[in-house]
Amino acid sequence: MSGSVLYDAPGPRARARNLVLSVVGGLLIVGLVALVAYRLYDKGQFDGAMWDIFNYAGIRENILDGLAATLKVFAMAAALSLVMAVVLCMGRLSDHKPVRWLATGFIELFRSVPLLITIFALWVGIVDAILPVEVNIEPMWALVFGLAIYNSCVQAEVLRAGINAVPTGQREAAYAIGMRKTQVTASILMPQAVRSMMPTIISQLVVTLKDTSLGYIILYPELLQTARLIASNTQVNGDYPYVPTVIVIGTLYIVLCLALSGLANWIERRGRRAKTGIAPTEAKVPEQTGALP
Amino acid sequence: MNVLLDNLDLFREGFVGTVSLTAGSAALAVVLGLIIAGFRVSPVPPLRLFGTVWVTLLRNTPLTLLFLVAFFVVPQVLFPGIDSYLLAVVALGMYTSSYIAEALRSGINTVPLGQAEAARSIGMTFTQTLRIVVLPQATRTALPPLSSFLIALTKNSAIAGAFNNVDLFNIQKVLSNEGYNILVIFIWITIGYLIVTFSISALFRTLERRLEVAR
């Protein structure tokens, strides 16, 4: 960060002022944290007994089960959303108007509906209301399909941006040597689009991972719901161990997400060094306009 | 179509709930985002560290977890009897502020170096440089991502409805419990959200046009 552009190299007075600000700011922050910590301590949330619950095999197994459920949903939703994204992206760039309209409509609709609304609608049986058949959707599948539908729309737009970033000469050259439409897309455009968009795609996968926590609301026992169950079913000295469980589960989430965004950043840095192909995008969450441009 | 007419009051309440949640937390998020962005580029190391920690932690935490903390930990442990609207606004505002701070920071980075150097050379301090020269220009580049984060905020506000705030999602829950056709409810709720998100993008398009400068 070239922060130094915004201010001069500090002279003696500025150094003194910065020191004072450092101390005051640092004290304020430490004080705030200490105040919260003290309130928590005062309520007995830092008692040894509160934290002792994580020594029970049952609770550890619960947490592991929750983690496994979260990862399972994430893996299925991620795979499904990427496959659907390729299809939607192809549809959106199709030469046939009806296909293009259908894909665009689908993308614009589900990108602008809150994910929670989609998941909830799937859970309470919107499929029954549309199709004449009786389908009973379990919370897990409602979560997976909801996540897949929403994220595929975002990823499809990311892929489309990637394909549009490939220089036109490449497509023209491919057609000129006699490649078919499918061949051009599959062997010229897609590989480069995926490669350049990889950091953004992975950043959106981080969002998918975070959004698996919406399973909490439809009562699917993933990590967050597990945390709530543990905290509300365990009593230590007549108090519920909300703070310890939130700290443990929150750390798990943050570590998972940081690992995934670390991967995105690594790929971005690695791609920067490469001399060939189009440059990779920045590893950041794609903008969700969610309303027609 | 009867679903809407029979429950017009509920829908209106939910719509107003969503709008006020969005407005309240958007205001908080923009103010916090500005402060945190200022922290992240400031010459004072502890503030810079605080800004970095704030952004990293909040961007990698699921919003639902923040809501869980806000609705189960904060009232029971820290401040009992706090209003649920306030809790939702704080959770949403804090979460979104981390994204807005990043958008502003990358906006600050796109302001040409010469601008800040010129400001410094005529003797402006860090705060003056930021306030008079850099931020007004950074705001222009930060507007499109800002609008997309506010739209994301509108959509995220549905989570507040799951925690007993009255908003559109809450109405969807209530009505589907009462056995109305879920497809019809879904359509009306979606239209409600579309109205809010369309207004935000229209507002920002106007803002962008107003703030546009010929370069």
Side-chain angles (χ1 to χ4, degrees):
Chain A
M1 168 69 217
S2 55
S4 53
V5 185
L6 295 172
Y7 42 87
D8 284 304
R13 266 175 68 191
R15 258 205 301 277
R17 196 180 58 224
N18 282 353
L19 191 69
V20 171
L21 277 176
S22 290
V23 171
V24 172
L27 279 181
L28 263 178
I29 293 164
V30 169
L32 210 65
V33 173
L35 183 71
V36 172
Y38 176 74
R39 288 297 293 266
L40 293 179
Y41 173 80
D42 201 36
K43 296 277 179 179
Q45 293 288 341
F46 289 139
D47 276 1
M50 278 283 188
W51 289 83
D52 200 37
I53 57 169
F54 297 110
N55 281 329
Y56 295 121
I59 287 192
R60 284 185 182 180
E61 262 165 36
N62 280 344
I63 294 180
L64 274 183
D65 286 348
L67 187 62
T70 288
L71 290 178
K72 189 169 72 182
V73 167
F74 167 64
M76 286 194 290
L80 199 59
S81 72
L82 289 176
V83 172
M84 282 170 67
V86 173
V87 175
L88 282 174
C89 173
M90 293 295 84
R92 207 166 170 180
L93 294 169
S94 164
D95 288 338
H96 309 287
K97 256 189 194 157
V99 179
R100 207 161 57 219
W101 285 344
L102 210 64
T104 311
F106 186 89
I107 290 174
E108 291 299 341
L109 171 66
F110 285 103
R111 223 163 46 130
S112 46
V113 177
L115 175 54
L116 180 57
I117 303 276
T118 312
I119 292 175
F120 186 82
L122 282 170
W123 183 48
V124 294
I126 197 171
V127 183
D128 282 355
I130 300 172
L131 301 175
V133 285
E134 280 275 312
V135 202
N136 193 16
I137 293 191
E138 285 173 35
M140 185 181 85
W141 293 111
L143 187 58
V144 169
F145 286 130
L147 281 169
I149 289 174
Y150 174 76
N151 285 290
S152 66
C153 295
V154 180
Q155 302 275 28
E157 289 297 278
V158 172
L159 279 179
R160 191 170 69 105
I163 284 184
N164 285 340
V166 177
T168 10
Q170 303 240 350
R171 184 200 317 250
E172 285 159 4
Y175 278 124
I177 58 168
M179 280 185 160
R180 295 161 55 91
K181 209 156 64 181
T182 328
Q183 283 177 312
V184 174
T185 310
S187 52
I188 306 289
L189 299 179
M190 260 304 169
Q192 299 195 65
V194 170
R195 188 168 170 277
S196 73
M197 284 295 158
M198 201 42 112
T200 314
I201 292 174
I202 296 180
S203 298
Q204 181 61 29
L205 286 182
V206 175
V207 176
T208 313
L209 177 59
K210 287 200 303 185
D211 284 345
T212 57
S213 66
L214 290 175
Y216 170 89
I217 290 157
I218 57 165
L219 307 177
Y220 174 63
E222 42 70 73
L223 201 48
L224 198 62
Q225 182 68 24
T226 311
R228 164 131 166 74
L229 288 177
I230 290 175
S232 58
N233 289 332
T234 325
Q235 260 200 340
V236 183
N237 307 333
D239 223 341
Y240 298 102
Y242 269 106
V243 176
T245 27
V246 161
I247 291 178
V248 168
I249 302 290
T251 314
L252 277 176
Y253 269 115
I254 290 172
V255 168
L256 285 178
C257 293
L258 277 182
L260 207 52
S261 7
L263 179 68
N265 286 325
W266 180 71
I267 290 180
E268 183 197 337
R269 268 202 314 279
R270 211 186 52 142
R272 278 276 131 79
R273 286 206 304 269
K275 300 269 188 305
T276 53
I278 37 179
T281 50
E282 260 181 79
K284 64 171 187 186
V285 181
E287 280 165 24
Q288 318 168 348
T289 17
L292 288 161
Chain B
M1 293 303 124
N2 275 338
V3 180
L4 180 71
L5 294 179
D6 289 353
N7 303 291
L8 205 56
D9 278 359
L10 268 181
F11 272 106
R12 201 183 50 220
E13 240 175 82
F15 184 73
V16 171
T18 292
V19 170
S20 68
L21 264 176
T22 308
S25 35
L28 181 67
V30 169
V31 172
L32 270 179
L34 257 177
I35 296 175
I36 297 293
F39 277 8
R40 292 207 71 182
V41 296
S42 84
V44 186
L47 295 185
R48 230 165 28 220
L49 182 72
F50 178 77
T52 314
V53 170
W54 177 277
V55 168
T56 315
L57 275 188
L58 284 175
R59 287 217 307 182
N60 288 295
T61 313
L63 181 56
T64 328
L65 180 70
L66 281 188
F67 268 98
L68 187 78
V69 173
F71 281 83
F72 290 99
V73 176
V74 175
Q76 284 176 16
V77 180
L78 296 174
F79 312 100
I82 195 166
D83 184 35
S84 78
Y85 171 78
L86 200 64
L87 285 174
V89 164
V90 170
L92 273 170
M94 276 172 61
Y95 180 78
T96 313
S97 76
S98 64
Y99 287 93
I100 290 182
E102 276 305 273
L104 281 175
R105 195 176 69 113
S106 55
I108 290 175
N109 283 341
T110 58
V111 176
L113 294 186
Q115 298 278 334
E117 281 170 354
R120 269 168 50 206
S121 70
I122 57 169
M124 285 187 177
T125 63
F126 168 70
T127 341
Q128 282 174 323
T129 311
L130 214 54
R131 188 168 55 87
I132 303 172
V133 178
V134 176
L135 268 183
Q137 301 185 62
T139 317
R140 280 185 200 113
T141 30
L143 271 183
L146 203 65
S147 112
S148 97
F149 289 136
L150 290 189
I151 287 170
L153 166 70
T154 312
K155 295 192 280 173
N156 284 334
S157 75
I159 299 177
F163 286 85
N164 285 332
N165 268 285
V166 178
D167 80 333
L168 284 169
F169 173 69
N170 199 268
I171 302 304
Q172 186 189 18
K173 237 168 60 169
V174 170
L175 290 182
S176 74
N177 280 345
E178 283 177 16
Y180 286 99
N181 186 343
I182 178 70
L183 181 63
V184 183
I185 307 173
F186 179 80
I187 291 171
W188 285 119
I189 297 284
T190 304
I191 291 175
Y193 276 105
L194 279 181
I195 294 173
V196 183
T197 48
F198 270 117
S199 322
I200 293 178
S201 53
L203 176 77
F204 270 84
R205 226 164 317 138
T206 323
L207 261 180
E208 268 169 60
R209 253 203 316 277
R210 280 281 179 83
L211 292 177
E212 214 168 33
V213 275
R215 281 188 210 270

